[in-house]
Amino acid sequence: MAHVTLNFESDYLNQNEQVEIILPDKERGIPGETFYASGKKYKVLWLLHGTYGDATDWQRKTRIELFASEKDMIVVMPSGLNSDFVSWPKFAMGYDFPNFFVKELMPLVQNWFPASDKREDNFIAGLSMGGHGATQLGFAYPEKFAAIGCFSYPLLNYRARANGDALDGKLPEMSTRFANQVANYGTLEDFLKSGYNTWDVYFDAKKRKNLPEIHFYIGEDDFFWEAHCEMKKEMKRRRIKNVPITEYPGLHHEWRVWDMAVEDFIRKVDPETVGAGMKN
Amino acid sequence: MAHVTLNFESDYLNQNEQVEIILPDKERGIPGETFYASGKKYKVLWLLHGTYGDATDWQRKTRIELFASEKDMIVVMPSGLNSDFVSWPKFAMGYDFPNFFVKELMPLVQNWFPASDKREDNFIAGLSMGGHGATQLGFAYPEKFAAIGCFSYPLLNYRARANGDALDGKLPEMSTRFANQVANYGTLEDFLKSGYNTWDVYFDAKKRKNLPEIHFYIGEDDFFWEAHCEMKKEMKRRRIKNVPITEYPGLHHEWRVWDMAVEDFIRKVDPETVGAGMKN
Amino acid sequence: MAHVTLNFESDYLNQNEQVEIILPDKERGIPGETFYASGKKYKVLWLLHGTYGDATDWQRKTRIELFASEKDMIVVMPSGLNSDFVSWPKFAMGYDFPNFFVKELMPLVQNWFPASDKREDNFIAGLSMGGHGATQLGFAYPEKFAAIGCFSYPLLNYRARANGDALDGKLPEMSTRFANQVANYGTLEDFLKSGYNTWDVYFDAKKRKNLPEIHFYIGEDDFFWEAHCEMKKEMKRRRIKNVPITEYPGLHHEWRVWDMAVEDFIRKVDPETVGAGMKN
Amino acid sequence: MAHVTLNFESDYLNQNEQVEIILPDKERGIPGETFYASGKKYKVLWLLHGTYGDATDWQRKTRIELFASEKDMIVVMPSGLNSDFVSWPKFAMGYDFPNFFVKELMPLVQNWFPASDKREDNFIAGLSMGGHGATQLGFAYPEKFAAIGCFSYPLLNYRARANGDALDGKLPEMSTRFANQVANYGTLEDFLKSGYNTWDVYFDAKKRKNLPEIHFYIGEDDFFWEAHCEMKKEMKRRRIKNVPITEYPGLHHEWRVWDMAVEDFIRKVDPETVGAGMKN
């Protein structure tokens, strides 16, 4: 596959943004004039990193380029700091990831690169914080994505957690993070009513019927395993069926999970396309 | 010169950080074993970008590598978002640029790369927001830097401005930015007493006597020109002399200024070293 | 401007190729949907590096991004090793730069990026070996480029030099290089009849009338100065007039020349466009 | 892990060279001053790409960073074109990979980065052409490397192949490539006597006793499988035992092999070190 590192200034982030992009690769022997001028628009996977990460993570730590090549799929990997992929109007001059994503990055990629803008050709996924981000963006813009891949981040019942003073889950850094996030939204109630609280969106039957299909992947030793089981229990209680869930025994919150998850997700959302495959 | 793009995780930023670094270049014909094993530690310029920018700006928009080569000077260019190079504990999981800079980046560069850690070999500079950042860091850690280069950002009398409700100066985005920054510090008084308010630090005679030498550069059509003149007036009033100030007629807040400023600053702070020069 | 590092596999080079690309930048405040979906195709400068260099040189050592921004011009900077930008069929599995350039790189950029493919919107330039490369490509494909910028590399009378055993000019490394290049073409006569010998192409009146306009730039202390004067003498002898030639007193074969040359060349070949200009 | 992209000029390659480097990562919570100033020198894996590839391949297409993190191992990945990692004096101004590697790259990394220069801490490996390269370099400089990893490239009996006019093996591009390589060495006999012909080096008992330990990995559907079996037959004939060979059923000449091979190789050559592991 071809590889692009793109750096451009965003109005919504108020800064330069680095984005890593994988583009389709011409098979050997096909003339460049034919291949590049075909007018073909390719499917796109929008892929988000986790806490502590950035745009370079997926390429450095998984075989994403190998998997994408088997489907000729464009992959777009932006940087989102530790923003949880929401807007932070009170940070610096404002850092608004969602508007950056849908009003700047998507138009750029779908117009300046050979990327399809059809719903059925666009998928969004992420790991950990990025799984939450993919879910938030997929729920907020269901007309833009055919499927969501949520790796190692179950829907969390923030309302229940907030009542129990347990917003911080099992991670020591979480207390500060959630306190900051609640302040970012205003009040706890503002926070709980926002798109951040994906549990409430998903388990509202009226909202759910319009959402993209969502695929969950998680290691059975993940610190989110218990929360994952709560989510499944709620699905059962509400008789929600046929949600594709993949669980990996013996694995925790780690890159080996995300490497397998992204391979499987790509194959499931695009079962038919046969890409050029990875050259050697 | 050799060029390095470094990406590493910072505890204080809670994220991956990209840093662009220029390293000395071996002259042609000198054996690699001799050159790289010499044990020589080179001088270092720490160079900060402005609002909207990032680590890549200086190399893309000026001839910094050319100027550095004439002195065999290492140049280190980190990314600082629009943070004003201060700590934002309430953003995400916390983003603490000053501690990142002195407790992670400086130790990494001065131990893992052939960089001197002596005060007389270290200089810090920046443009616009980065000039302010260089001043803040140079004032806070005067034992680490021999000189400061402040390009297109005069010392601003924030106290006077705050009283006059004019913290936003001439830039439309500034109102939000300053409101956010004041909230970041707590109260207006906290803000004014902080290291952010470099005017108060510099014009305190007791503090000033320990500070690194500071060099100012500005275009005469810069929107900060009036503020620059206020600063000079205050210097005169207090009989502060021999401050190196360079003013460029006909130029505004722009890259042509910063290209000339960084060239001049490097020559002034290191007048004697003759580097290998830029190869072609 | 936006910045792209592109890496893709070339059939003609038989390897991955890195290309640095500068793309137009959206002005602040213009909606992304409007800007990126406009369908506008921008002018393109194809810019070649010199001996010892690569795709990264122009951005690291000049202000090319600043100058391009003043015209909203796309700039494409490939890597060409020390190939002289010709084909080396006997190296490894073959390294064919000209076919890579016109049959792969140009179609990719003009189809996958918002670049114009009209002759009047395409310009090619380079420094030293890259000036020679720009001349060779511009002469070989005159239907593709409106103008050529040749920096610090005059048309060289290889035939006269060959007879005088002086193919190596003033540079010590040149003997090996020219011996290798002659062997690459087969015989000395094959070499002299090839497109490499741009002197013979240019001073053939029939061929010259179809060539793109060519602009020369050189420092008066360049080691090619004498050869440059020979070229001018030959132009005078043949009454060739109005060739734009810029000479810089006191400068030699160096980056300060190429920074000024590329700024001037861009302004001359596109005198009317007013670009967004460099943001700060 | 930390990631470095290094670009520097090489005297032996006569050009800028890009090298991708993975450096150890500080565990969260350990002070930067402690970690970076420890003086520790880390083990190093020198890792070569295959035909058509470059320095970026290993990171883009495998999980090398994940595997390296489990051992805190530095990984250095240079670009070698399709040179077969030998010297090409007749290409351009000369392209001498072996001298670049041992006289420039190794001194730079072992002096400017926290890398050990002890034999027992240095390993060299590669895939396909890079496996051949690793073998050639490991055989030529046995005092520098403790082990060689040769992935999907068996020792080839070039002498037998040359007699049978079958130097091209099964790959269509090979005829040109071998013809060029023979010409590069001078005569066929020069070629067969060179270090390129690793079969003859390895099966010379006197030479073999000083060589680093060599590990072979290959897919059972690889087009080199038959040649691999010939190599094993020759080992048996000569009663060479205990060579670590790993064969993967159902896999061919492909990245899935190399991902598994490099993971296994790192674990075998450094069985004891427990690295920080990949953060998430």
Side-chain angles (χ1 to χ4, degrees), chain B residues 181-235:
Chain B
Q181 193 60 273
V182 168
N184 184 40
Y185 276 100
T187 66
L188 180 59
E189 196 50 33
D190 294 331
F191 169 77
L192 292 171
K193 281 185 176 159
S194 76
Y196 195 102
N197 189 1
T198 47
W199 176 286
D200 279 14
V201 180
Y202 186 79
F203 290 118
D204 177 327
K206 236 188 286 176
K207 290 179 184 162
R208 190 171 58 251
K209 70 178 179 190
N210 298 313
L211 299 183
E213 169 184 273
I214 180 164
H215 299 237
F216 293 94
Y217 297 81
I218 194 163
E220 296 190 0
D221 294 345
D222 194 301
F223 52 71
F224 274 136
W225 176 253
E226 203 183 321
H228 172 75
C229 293
E230 280 171 36
M231 177 188 76
K232 288 203 296 183
K233 214 165 141 189
E234 186 69 11
M235 286 176 178

Coordinates of all heavy atoms in Angstrom, one line a residue, chain B residues 181-235:
Chain B
Q181 N -7.2 31.0 29.7 CA -5.9 30.9 30.4 C -6.1 31.4 31.9 O -5.5 30.8 32.8 CB -4.9 31.8 29.7 CG -3.5 31.6 30.1 CD -3.0 30.2 29.9 OE1 -3.2 29.3 30.8 NE2 -2.4 29.9 28.8
V182 N -6.9 32.4 32.1 CA -7.1 32.9 33.4 C -7.8 31.8 34.2 O -7.4 31.5 35.4 CB -8.0 34.2 33.4 CG1 -8.5 34.5 34.8 CG2 -7.1 35.4 32.9
A183 N -8.8 31.2 33.6 CA -9.5 30.0 34.3 C -8.5 28.9 34.6 O -8.6 28.2 35.6 CB -10.7 29.5 33.5
N184 N -7.6 28.7 33.7 CA -6.6 27.7 33.9 C -5.7 27.9 35.1 O -5.4 27.0 35.9 CB -5.7 27.6 32.7 CG -4.6 26.5 32.7 OD1 -4.9 25.4 33.1 ND2 -3.4 26.8 32.3
Y185 N -5.4 29.2 35.4 CA -4.6 29.5 36.6 C -5.5 29.7 37.8 O -5.0 29.6 38.9 CB -3.9 30.9 36.3 CG -2.6 30.6 35.6 CD1 -2.5 30.9 34.2 CD2 -1.4 30.2 36.2 CE1 -1.3 30.6 33.5 CE2 -0.3 29.9 35.6 CZ -0.2 30.2 34.2 OH 1.0 30.0 33.5
G186 N -6.8 29.8 37.7 CA -7.7 30.0 38.8 C -8.4 31.3 38.8 O -9.4 31.5 38.2
T187 N -7.7 32.3 39.4 CA -8.3 33.7 39.4 C -7.4 34.6 38.5 O -6.2 34.2 38.2 CB -8.4 34.2 40.8 OG1 -7.0 34.4 41.2 CG2 -9.1 33.3 41.7
L188 N -7.9 35.8 38.2 CA -7.1 36.7 37.5 C -5.8 37.0 38.3 O -4.7 37.1 37.7 CB -7.9 38.0 37.3 CG -7.1 39.1 36.5 CD1 -6.7 38.7 35.1 CD2 -8.0 40.4 36.4
E189 N -5.9 37.1 39.6 CA -4.7 37.4 40.4 C -3.7 36.3 40.3 O -2.5 36.5 40.2 CB -5.1 37.7 41.8 CG -4.0 38.5 42.6 CD -3.4 39.7 42.0 OE1 -4.2 40.4 41.2 OE2 -2.2 40.0 42.1
D190 N -4.2 35.0 40.4 CA -3.3 33.9 40.2 C -2.5 34.0 38.9 O -1.3 33.8 38.8 CB -4.1 32.6 40.2 CG -4.7 32.3 41.6 OD1 -4.2 32.7 42.6 OD2 -5.8 31.6 41.6
F191 N -3.3 34.3 37.9 CA -2.7 34.4 36.6 C -1.7 35.5 36.5 O -0.6 35.3 36.0 CB -3.9 34.8 35.6 CG -3.4 35.2 34.2 CD1 -3.0 34.2 33.3 CD2 -3.5 36.5 33.8 CE1 -2.6 34.6 32.0 CE2 -3.1 36.9 32.6 CZ -2.7 36.0 31.6
L192 N -2.0 36.7 37.1 CA -1.1 37.8 37.0 C 0.2 37.6 37.8 O 1.3 38.1 37.5 CB -1.8 39.1 37.4 CG -2.8 39.6 36.5 CD1 -3.6 40.7 37.1 CD2 -2.2 40.0 35.1
K193 N 0.1 36.8 38.9 CA 1.3 36.5 39.7 C 2.1 35.3 39.2 O 3.2 35.0 39.7 CB 0.8 36.1 41.1 CG 0.5 37.4 41.9 CD 0.1 37.0 43.4 CE -0.1 38.2 44.2 NZ -0.9 37.9 45.4
S194 N 1.6 34.7 38.1 CA 2.3 33.5 37.6 C 3.4 33.9 36.7 O 3.6 35.0 36.3 CB 1.3 32.6 36.8 OG 1.1 33.2 35.5
G195 N 4.2 32.9 36.3 CA 5.3 33.1 35.4 C 4.9 33.5 34.0 O 5.7 34.0 33.2
Y196 N 3.6 33.3 33.7 CA 3.0 33.8 32.4 C 3.2 35.3 32.3 O 3.4 35.8 31.2 CB 1.5 33.5 32.4 CG 0.8 33.5 31.1 CD1 0.5 32.3 30.4 CD2 0.5 34.7 30.5 CE1 -0.1 32.4 29.2 CE2 -0.2 34.8 29.3 CZ -0.4 33.6 28.6 OH -1.1 33.7 27.4
N197 N 3.1 36.0 33.4 CA 3.2 37.5 33.3 C 4.7 37.9 33.4 O 5.2 38.4 34.4 CB 2.4 38.0 34.5 CG 2.3 39.5 34.4 OD1 2.7 40.2 33.5 ND2 1.7 40.1 35.4
T198 N 5.3 37.7 32.3 CA 6.8 37.9 32.2 C 7.2 39.3 32.4 O 8.3 39.6 32.8 CB 7.3 37.4 30.8 OG1 6.5 37.9 29.8 CG2 7.3 35.8 30.8
W199 N 6.3 40.2 32.2 CA 6.5 41.7 32.4 C 6.9 41.9 33.9 O 7.9 42.5 34.2 CB 5.3 42.5 32.0 CG 5.3 44.0 32.3 CD1 5.3 44.6 33.5 CD2 5.5 45.0 31.4 NE1 5.3 45.9 33.4 CE2 5.5 46.2 32.1 CE3 5.6 45.0 30.0 CZ2 5.6 47.5 31.4 CZ3 5.7 46.3 29.3 CH2 5.7 47.5 30.1
D200 N 6.1 41.3 34.7 CA 6.3 41.5 36.2 C 7.6 40.9 36.6 O 8.3 41.4 37.5 CB 5.1 41.0 37.0 CG 4.0 42.0 37.0 OD1 4.0 43.0 36.2 OD2 3.1 41.8 37.9
V201 N 8.0 39.7 36.1 CA 9.2 39.1 36.4 C 10.4 39.9 36.0 O 11.3 40.2 36.8 CB 9.3 37.7 35.8 CG1 10.7 37.0 36.2 CG2 8.1 36.8 36.2
Y202 N 10.3 40.3 34.7 CA 11.5 41.0 34.1 C 11.7 42.4 34.8 O 12.8 42.8 35.0 CB 11.3 41.2 32.6 CG 12.4 41.8 31.9 CD1 13.5 41.0 31.6 CD2 12.5 43.2 31.6 CE1 14.6 41.6 30.9 CE2 13.6 43.7 30.9 CZ 14.6 42.9 30.6 OH 15.7 43.4 29.9
F203 N 10.6 43.1 35.1 CA 10.8 44.4 35.6 C 10.9 44.5 37.2 O 10.8 45.5 37.8 CB 9.7 45.4 35.1 CG 9.9 45.7 33.7 CD1 8.9 45.3 32.7 CD2 11.0 46.3 33.2 CE1 9.1 45.6 31.4 CE2 11.2 46.6 31.9 CZ 10.3 46.2 30.9
D204 N 11.1 43.3 37.7 CA 11.5 43.2 39.1 C 13.0 43.1 39.2 O 13.6 42.1 38.8 CB 10.8 41.9 39.7 CG 11.2 41.7 41.2 OD1 12.4 42.0 41.6 OD2 10.4 41.1 41.9
A205 N 13.7 44.1 39.6 CA 15.1 44.2 39.5 C 15.9 43.1 40.2 O 16.9 42.6 39.7 CB 15.6 45.6 40.1
K206 N 15.3 42.6 41.3 CA 15.9 41.5 42.0 C 15.9 40.2 41.2 O 16.9 39.5 41.1 CB 15.2 41.3 43.4 CG 16.2 41.4 44.6 CD 15.6 41.0 45.9 CE 14.6 42.1 46.4 NZ 13.9 41.7 47.6
K207 N 14.8 40.0 40.6 CA 14.7 38.8 39.7 C 15.5 38.9 38.5 O 16.2 38.0 38.0 CB 13.2 38.5 39.4 CG 12.4 38.0 40.5 CD 10.9 37.8 40.1 CE 10.1 37.5 41.3 NZ 8.6 37.6 41.1
R208 N 15.5 40.1 37.9 CA 16.1 40.3 36.6 C 17.6 40.0 36.6 O 18.1 39.5 35.6 CB 15.9 41.7 36.1 CG 16.3 41.9 34.6 CD 15.9 43.2 34.0 NE 16.4 44.4 34.8 CZ 15.7 45.2 35.5 NH1 14.4 45.0 35.6 NH2 16.2 46.2 36.2
K209 N 18.2 40.3 37.7 CA 19.7 40.2 37.7 C 20.2 38.7 37.5 O 21.3 38.5 37.1 CB 20.3 40.8 38.9 CG 20.0 40.0 40.2 CD 20.7 40.7 41.4 CE 20.4 39.9 42.6 NZ 20.7 40.5 43.9
N210 N 19.3 37.8 37.7 CA 19.7 36.4 37.5 C 19.3 35.8 36.2 O 19.6 34.6 35.8 CB 19.1 35.5 38.6 CG 19.7 35.9 40.0 OD1 20.9 36.1 40.1 ND2 18.8 36.1 40.9
L211 N 18.5 36.6 35.4 CA 17.9 36.0 34.2 C 19.0 35.9 33.1 O 19.9 36.6 33.0 CB 16.8 36.9 33.7 CG 15.6 37.0 34.7 CD1 14.5 37.9 34.1 CD2 15.1 35.7 35.1
P212 N 18.7 34.9 32.2 CA 19.6 34.9 31.0 C 19.4 36.2 30.2 O 18.3 36.8 30.2 CB 19.0 33.7 30.2 CG 18.1 32.9 31.1 CD 17.6 33.9 32.1
E213 N 20.4 36.5 29.4 CA 20.3 37.6 28.5 C 19.1 37.4 27.5 O 18.9 36.3 27.0 CB 21.6 37.6 27.7 CG 21.8 38.4 26.5 CD 23.2 38.2 25.9 OE1 24.1 38.8 26.3 OE2 23.2 37.3 25.0
I214 N 18.4 38.4 27.3 CA 17.2 38.2 26.3 C 17.3 39.2 25.1 O 17.7 40.3 25.3 CB 15.9 38.4 27.1 CG1 14.7 38.2 26.2 CG2 15.8 39.7 27.8 CD1 13.3 38.0 26.9
H215 N 17.1 38.6 23.9 CA 17.2 39.3 22.7 C 15.8 39.4 22.1 O 15.1 38.4 21.9 CB 18.1 38.5 21.7 CG 19.5 38.3 22.1 ND1 20.6 38.7 21.3 CD2 20.0 37.7 23.2 CE1 21.7 38.4 21.9 NE2 21.4 37.7 23.1
F216 N 15.4 40.6 21.7 CA 14.1 40.8 21.0 C 14.3 41.1 19.5 O 15.2 41.8 19.1 CB 13.4 42.0 21.7 CG 13.0 41.7 23.1 CD1 13.9 42.1 24.2 CD2 11.8 41.1 23.5 CE1 13.5 41.9 25.5 CE2 11.5 40.9 24.8 CZ 12.3 41.3 25.8
Y217 N 13.3 40.6 18.8 CA 13.2 40.8 17.3 C 11.8 41.0 17.0 O 10.9 40.3 17.5 CB 13.7 39.6 16.5 CG 15.2 39.2 16.8 CD1 15.6 38.5 17.9 CD2 16.2 39.6 15.9 CE1 16.9 38.2 18.1 CE2 17.5 39.3 16.1 CZ 17.9 38.6 17.2 OH 19.2 38.3 17.4
I218 N 11.5 42.0 16.1 CA 10.1 42.3 15.7 C 10.0 43.1 14.5 O 10.9 43.9 14.2 CB 9.4 43.0 16.9 CG1 7.8 43.0 16.6 CG2 9.9 44.5 17.0 CD1 7.0 43.3 17.9
G219 N 9.0 42.8 13.7 CA 8.7 43.7 12.5 C 8.0 45.0 12.9 O 7.2 44.9 13.8
E220 N 8.3 46.0 12.2 CA 7.8 47.3 12.6 C 6.3 47.4 12.2 O 5.6 48.3 12.7 CB 8.6 48.5 12.0 CG 10.0 48.5 12.6 CD 10.8 49.7 12.2 OE1 10.3 50.6 11.5 OE2 12.0 49.8 12.7
D221 N 5.8 46.5 11.4 CA 4.4 46.5 11.1 C 3.6 45.4 11.9 O 2.5 45.1 11.6 CB 4.1 46.3 9.6 CG 4.6 47.5 8.8 OD1 4.9 48.6 9.4 OD2 4.8 47.4 7.6
D222 N 4.3 44.8 12.8 CA 3.7 43.7 13.6 C 2.5 44.3 14.5 O 2.6 45.5 14.9 CB 4.7 43.1 14.6 CG 4.3 41.8 15.2 OD1 3.3 41.8 15.9 OD2 5.0 40.8 15.0
F223 N 1.5 43.5 14.7 CA 0.4 44.0 15.5 C 0.8 44.2 17.0 O 0.1 44.7 17.8 CB -0.9 43.2 15.4 CG -0.6 41.7 15.6 CD1 -0.3 41.2 16.9 CD2 -0.7 40.8 14.6 CE1 -0.1 39.9 17.1 CE2 -0.4 39.4 14.8 CZ -0.1 39.0 16.0
F224 N 2.0 43.7 17.3 CA 2.5 43.8 18.7 C 3.5 45.0 18.7 O 4.2 45.2 19.7 CB 3.3 42.6 19.1 CG 2.4 41.5 19.7 CD1 2.6 40.2 19.4 CD2 1.5 41.8 20.7 CE1 1.8 39.2 20.0 CE2 0.7 40.9 21.3 CZ 0.9 39.5 20.9
W225 N 3.6 45.8 17.6 CA 4.6 46.9 17.6 C 4.4 47.9 18.7 O 5.3 48.3 19.4 CB 4.6 47.6 16.2 CG 5.5 48.8 16.2 CD1 5.2 50.1 16.2 CD2 6.9 48.7 16.2 NE1 6.3 50.9 16.2 CE2 7.4 50.1 16.2 CE3 7.9 47.7 16.2 CZ2 8.7 50.4 16.2 CZ3 9.2 48.0 16.2 CH2 9.6 49.3 16.2
E226 N 3.1 48.3 18.9 CA 2.8 49.3 20.0 C 3.2 48.7 21.3 O 3.8 49.4 22.1 CB 1.3 49.5 19.9 CG 0.9 50.9 20.5 CD -0.7 51.1 20.5 OE1 -1.3 50.6 19.4 OE2 -1.2 51.6 21.4
A227 N 2.8 47.5 21.6 CA 3.2 46.8 22.8 C 4.7 46.8 23.0 O 5.3 46.9 24.1 CB 2.6 45.4 22.9
H228 N 5.4 46.5 21.9 CA 6.9 46.5 21.9 C 7.4 47.9 22.3 O 8.4 47.9 23.1 CB 7.3 46.1 20.5 CG 8.8 46.2 20.3 ND1 9.7 45.3 20.8 CD2 9.5 47.1 19.6 CE1 10.9 45.6 20.4 NE2 10.9 46.8 19.7
C229 N 6.8 48.9 21.8 CA 7.3 50.3 22.1 C 7.0 50.6 23.6 O 7.8 51.2 24.3 CB 6.6 51.3 21.2 SG 7.1 51.1 19.5
E230 N 5.9 50.1 24.1 CA 5.6 50.2 25.6 C 6.7 49.6 26.4 O 7.2 50.1 27.4 CB 4.3 49.6 25.9 CG 3.1 50.4 25.6 CD 1.8 49.6 25.8 OE1 1.8 48.7 26.8 OE2 0.8 49.7 25.0
M231 N 7.1 48.4 26.0 CA 8.1 47.7 26.7 C 9.5 48.5 26.7 O 10.1 48.6 27.7 CB 8.4 46.3 26.0 CG 9.5 45.5 26.7 SD 9.9 44.0 25.7 CE 10.8 44.6 24.3
K232 N 9.8 49.0 25.5 CA 11.0 49.8 25.4 C 11.0 51.0 26.3 O 12.0 51.4 26.9 CB 11.3 50.2 24.0 CG 11.7 49.0 23.1 CD 12.5 49.5 21.9 CE 11.6 50.3 21.0 NZ 12.4 50.7 19.7
K233 N 9.8 51.6 26.4 CA 9.6 52.8 27.2 C 9.9 52.5 28.7 O 10.5 53.2 29.4 CB 8.2 53.3 27.0 CG 8.0 54.8 27.1 CD 6.6 55.1 26.5 CE 5.9 56.3 27.3 NZ 4.5 56.4 26.9
E234 N 9.3 51.3 29.1 CA 9.5 50.9 30.4 C 10.9 50.6 30.7 O 11.4 50.9 31.8 CB 8.6 49.7 30.7 CG 8.6 49.2 32.2 CD 7.9 50.1 33.1 OE1 7.2 51.0 32.6 OE2 8.0 50.0 34.4
M235 N 11.6 50.0 29.8 CA 13.1 49.8 29.9 C 13.8 51.1 30.1 O 14.7 51.2 31.0 CB 13.6 49.1 28.7 CG 13.3 47.6 28.6 SD 13.9 46.9 27.0 CE 13.3 45.2 27.2

